[in-house]
């Protein structure tokens, strides 16, 4: 998480190094203003076409869905919330063969879901087996309304210094 934040800050600061403080602040302000305008327009366009979730989430779900056919799912309760997933083939990034998925506690042994709040391939396999909709396990931050609300704020132009 720290690495991602520092990379974001470095991206904003690129080309601003060794500037006087006032010039540095103005540069960051204008870059953020442009970023919010661009991202806000993209989010609005996604909302207008009826997208429910962010594109980043949908790409992650598509990637994670590729491997659910290579898993055996064992259900351990009548309420369809406790599963053991056995991987039959090696899945990139996996360290072990068996994972416990607890849907009612939003947990998977792989840790992916707890870290990113995006259903991992084990959770998707459990949802598919139990005929549950994976969308109910997605954190609200990935909904397009939430993304749009982040970029809803607008930056005001900075007037002349003498005003």
């Amino acid at each position: 998480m720290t690495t991602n934040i520092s990379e974001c800050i470095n991206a904003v600061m690129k080309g601003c190094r060794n500037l006087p403080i006032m010039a540095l602040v103005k540069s960051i302000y204008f870059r953020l203003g442009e970023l919010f305008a661009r991202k806000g327009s993209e989010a609005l366009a996604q909302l207008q076409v009826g997208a429910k979730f962010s594109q980043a989430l949908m790409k992650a779900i598509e990637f994670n869905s590729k491997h659910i056919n290579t898993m055996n799912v064992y259900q351990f309760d009548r309420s369809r919330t406790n599963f053991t997933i056995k991987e039959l083939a090696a899945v990139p990034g996996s360290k072990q063969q068996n994972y416990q998925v607890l849907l009612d506690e939003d947990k998977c042994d792989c840790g992916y879901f707890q870290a990113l709040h995006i259903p991992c391939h084990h959770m998707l396999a459990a949802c598919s087996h139990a005929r549950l909709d994976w969308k109910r396990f997605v954190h609200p931050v990935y909904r397009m309304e939430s993304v749009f609300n982040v970029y809803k704020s607008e930056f005001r132009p900075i007037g002349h210094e003498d005003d």
Side-chain angles (χ1 to χ4, degrees):
M1 194 75 160
T2 305
T3 303
N4 290 341
I5 291 172
S6 63
E7 287 179 14
C8 290
I9 292 170
N10 283 339
V12 171
M13 303 286 280
K14 189 174 185 177
C16 301
R17 293 179 179 92
N18 301 323
L19 290 176
I21 295 295
M22 190 62 185
L24 182 68
V25 170
K26 279 185 179 180
S27 176
I28 292 170
Y29 185 83
F30 285 114
R31 286 170 188 246
L32 285 174
E34 289 176 352
L35 176 73
F36 268 60
R38 182 172 35 86
K39 290 291 196 176
S41 296
E42 290 172 8
L44 181 60
Q46 289 292 314
L47 276 173
Q48 289 174 339
V49 297
K52 300 271 189 246
F53 297 104
S54 69
Q55 290 177 338
L57 172 78
M58 295 313 293
K59 285 180 185 177
I61 293 295
E62 184 180 321
F63 177 79
N64 289 340
S65 296
K66 290 179 183 177
H67 302 289
I68 64 173
N69 294 338
T70 63
M71 300 178 194
N72 281 342
V73 180
Y74 302 98
Q75 182 176 329
F76 285 98
D77 62 348
R78 284 186 301 247
S79 61
R80 300 182 302 169
T81 60
N82 189 353
F83 300 89
T84 293
I85 311 296
K86 182 177 182 181
E87 294 180 346
L88 302 175
V91 176
S94 291
K95 297 175 185 166
Q96 62 191 63
Q97 294 289 318
N98 295 320
Y99 294 87
Q100 184 178 16
V101 174
L102 304 172
L103 294 178
D104 58 341
E105 296 178 31
D106 293 338
K107 288 185 180 177
C108 178
D109 285 346
C110 72
Y112 181 86
F113 179 75
Q114 292 90 307
L116 300 177
H117 302 286
I118 295 174
C120 61
H121 44 271
H122 309 111
M123 189 169 262
L124 291 173
C127 287
S128 176
H129 178 80
R131 293 182 177 85
L132 296 172
D133 190 7
W134 59 264
K135 294 173 184 154
R136 72 182 227 193
F137 299 103
V138 174
H139 195 276
V141 75
Y142 293 105
R143 297 191 182 281
M144 282 310 301
E145 299 89 27
S146 298
V147 174
F148 179 71
N149 286 335
V150 168
Y151 297 111
K152 199 179 215 178
S153 301
E154 294 182 357
F155 284 69
R156 300 174 87 42
I158 298 175
H160 192 269
E161 294 173 5
D162 293 339
D163 292 338

